[in-house]
Amino acid sequence: MSDKKTMVDIRGAEKDFGIVMALKGVDLTVTEGEVVLIIGPSGSGKSTLLRSINRLEALTGGQIFVDGDPLVGPDADIRKIREETGMVFQDFNLFPHKTALENISLAPMKVKGKSAEEAKSIAMKLLERVGLGDRGDSYPGQLSGGQKQRVAIARALAMEPKVMLFDEPTSALDPEMVKEVLDVMLDLAREGMTMMVVSHEMGFARAAADRVVFMDEGEIVEIAPPDVIFEHPKEERTKKFLKHIL
Amino acid sequence: MAPLDKEEGTRIEVTDGALLPTRGDGRIIDSWRITIAFAILALLSLLFIAKDPYDQIFKVVIKGAPLTFGVTAGAILGSIILGLFTGLGQIARGRVLNLIAGVYVELIRGIPLLVQLIFIYFALGKFFHLDGFPAAVIALSICYGAYMGEIFRAGIQAIPQGQMEAALALGMTRGQAMRLIILPQTMKIIIPAIGNEFIAMLKDSSLVSVIALRDILRRGREHVSRTFLSLETYAVVALVYLVITLVLSKLVANMEDRMNQNER
C-alpha cells in the first residue's frame, strides 16, 4: 500500500454546527484505488465527513487534500476539487427537467467545455455501462429508484472523477432495487475507482471494501478490514452498534 | 427531506387575483360556472334585450380592451424581469444585494398602488418625455416587480436543496447552477402564480385610467361625461372586466391542470 499515492487526506477535520460538533478532529487517509466504507449511527458525522470532502459542508477546522490539492485556504480551488470528486446522493438529486442523457452530458459540456456530440457520446457509453442504454430519453420521473440512482452514478462518472463519494446510495431504494445499484458500484470498485461510501450494506462491504471505518459522535472509533471489524470488533462502541444492524 | 415522487408539483399562490377555479371536483355547478353564467347572461340581456343605450356603451368601452391587454402584457413582462432580479437579490449571499432587494419590496408594498402609479408617472414625466403607454407599463412593472420578486423567491426556495448541491458537486458555479438547474424548475412551478398576477394586474391596470390612458375604464368615464349615463356605463364596464377575468382564470387553471398531468 505504501507505494500507492494518497488520494484523500483528511487531517483534523472539524465541523461545528453551533449546537453540535459534527466532526471532532477526524483523520483519515484514502489511497488511490481504495474502497472505504463508513458506518455509524445516525448523527455520527459520517455524511458530514463525506460532504466536507467536496465542501458541500465547509469545515470549521482542519484540512483536507484531494489528490494533493488543499480544500481550505487561499490556494484552494474548490471547483477543481469538485470536478475531480463525483458524488452520489441518497435522494439521487437528478435534474427532473432534463432527460437521463442530458443529466449526464450537462456537466461535461458546461464545466469541462466538451462539445455537445462528445458529451452525448460519453453519456451514451455511461448509460450502457450502468445498464440503461435504452433509457437515455427518459425523464427521471419515468425511472424507478434504482434506475435513477444508476443514472446519478453515470452523471458523476461523466466528469471522470478521481474519487467517488457515495452518501447512503441505497437508503432511499426499495429492497429489490438495491442490488442493481450495488452491482454497478461493485463493477466500479473492481475497475480500481477510489471510493468512499457511507452505507450499511454489509454485503457490499465484504465484497468490495478494503477498509471499514466506524464513526460515532463525530470521531473515528475504529478502522479495520471488513471481516475483521464485523467478526472481531475491538472497541465496545463498535460491538454495540454492529449488534444493532447485523 | 424532499418528497421523491411528487404526485403534484409545488404550488405557489398569491391570493391577489381572481379565484382560480378548484380543480377536479367534477361537479356541474361550481362558483365559477355560476358567476360566468350570470356575467354573460347579464351582459347579453343588456346588449340584446334592453339594447339602448347599452349596445352603444359596449361599443365605446370595448375599444379600450386592446389597451388594457397591451398595458397588462407589457407590464407582466417588465415585472417578470424585475421580479427575477428582486427574487435573486433576496436570496443572494451578498448582504448589500439582500438589502437593495428588501428595501425595494418594502417600499412598494407600503404604498398604495394608485399612489405609486401617479407618483411614478409624474416622476418619470419630470425627467423623461414618455408617452402614457410606456409610462404606464414601467409604473405597473415597478409596482408588480416587488410581488413578482416574492413569487420568484418562494419558487426558488421551493426547489429542493439537493438540486443546488448536485449541480455544485458536478463543478458548476453557483451562477450556472441557478441558470441551468434551479431557474428552469422555478419557472415551471411559478407559472400559475404568474397567471394569477396577470389577472390581478389586468384589473389593476384600470388604475392607469387616471393617467390619461384610454383603457376600458377610461373609455367608460369619457362616455359618462358625454351622456351622464353613469350607472348604465359602469355596469357594462364591470361586466366586461368580470367576463375577461373569469375566462382568464379558467385558462390559468386549465394550464395548471395540464402541467400537473405532464408532471413527470
Side-chain angles (χ1 to χ4, degrees), chain B residues 75-129:
Chain B
I76 207 88
L77 266 179
S79 64
I80 284 174
I81 294 165
L82 203 53
L84 172 61
F85 285 110
T86 309
L88 286 175
Q90 297 255 51
I91 57 152
R93 299 197 298 176
R95 181 95 181 107
V96 180
L97 287 175
N98 294 163
L99 286 176
I100 294 172
V103 167
Y104 163 61
V105 171
E106 293 289 343
L107 267 181
I108 295 300
R109 290 176 128 189
I111 304 172
L113 184 53
L114 183 56
V115 177
Q116 289 174 44
L117 266 178
I118 298 174
F119 175 78
I120 295 171
Y121 177 71
F122 286 108
L124 283 174
K126 186 106 182 150
F127 302 106
F128 311 97
H129 290 285

Side-chain angles (χ1 to χ4, degrees), chain A residues 35 182 186 189-190 201-210 226-227 230:
Chain A
V35 176
L182 290 180
L186 276 173
R190 282 191 206 108
E201 296 291 344
M202 298 304 155
F204 175 78
R206 287 179 199 276
D210 297 298
D227 12 314
F230 294 146

Side-chain angles (χ1 to χ4, degrees), chain B residues 111-189:
Chain B
I111 304 172
L113 184 53
L114 183 56
V115 177
Q116 289 174 44
L117 266 178
I118 298 174
F119 175 78
I120 295 171
Y121 177 71
F122 286 108
L124 283 174
K126 186 106 182 150
F127 302 106
F128 311 97
H129 290 285
L130 277 182
D131 288 340
F133 184 83
V137 167
I138 292 171
L140 269 176
S141 297
I142 293 175
C143 303
Y144 267 80
Y147 296 96
M148 213 59 102
E150 291 294 288
I151 292 174
F152 270 98
R153 185 184 57 74
I156 292 169
Q157 286 176 342
I159 306 298
Q161 184 65 33
Q163 291 288 308
M164 176 58 90
E165 289 183 353
L168 292 179
L170 286 167
M172 290 187 208
T173 61
R174 290 193 89 81
Q176 282 178 322
M178 198 44 98
R179 192 161 45 79
L180 300 168
I181 305 301
I182 308 295
L183 284 179
Q185 295 182 61
T186 303
M187 283 313 292
K188 192 165 165 255
I189 61 173

Side-chain angles (χ1 to χ4, degrees), chain A residues 31-137:
Chain A
T31 52
E32 190 173 23
E34 198 181 9
V35 176
V36 173
L37 195 84
I38 306 170
I39 60 173
S42 70
S44 59
K46 54 194 195 302
S47 279
T48 307
L49 180 67
L50 203 70
R51 290 161 55 83
S52 298
I53 296 169
N54 60 357
R55 218 162 87 188
L56 289 182
E57 304 285 356
L59 290 179
T60 47
Q63 176 67 288
I64 297 178
F65 296 90
V66 177
D67 197 19
D69 297 323
L71 189 76
V72 185
D75 298 330
D77 181 351
I78 185 60
R79 283 193 59 198
K80 179 165 182 276
I81 288 179
R82 282 175 176 159
E83 276 185 53
E84 292 174 352
T85 53
M87 188 164 219
V88 174
F89 300 86
Q90 179 178 356
D91 294 332
F92 328 124
N93 293 340
L94 290 180
F95 307 133
H97 60 303
K98 305 236 174 244
T99 63
L101 199 76
E102 290 166 344
N103 262 280
I104 302 169
S105 60
L106 186 67
M109 281 162 64
K110 300 294 176 177
V111 178
K112 286 200 155 170
K114 293 203 187 316
S115 71
E117 302 90 76
E118 201 182 347
K120 196 178 163 189
S121 93
I122 293 171
M124 274 312 302
K125 276 191 203 119
L126 285 167
L127 270 176
E128 260 155 44
R129 181 161 157 196
V130 299
L132 292 170
D134 54 340
R135 301 310 299 268
D137 294 329

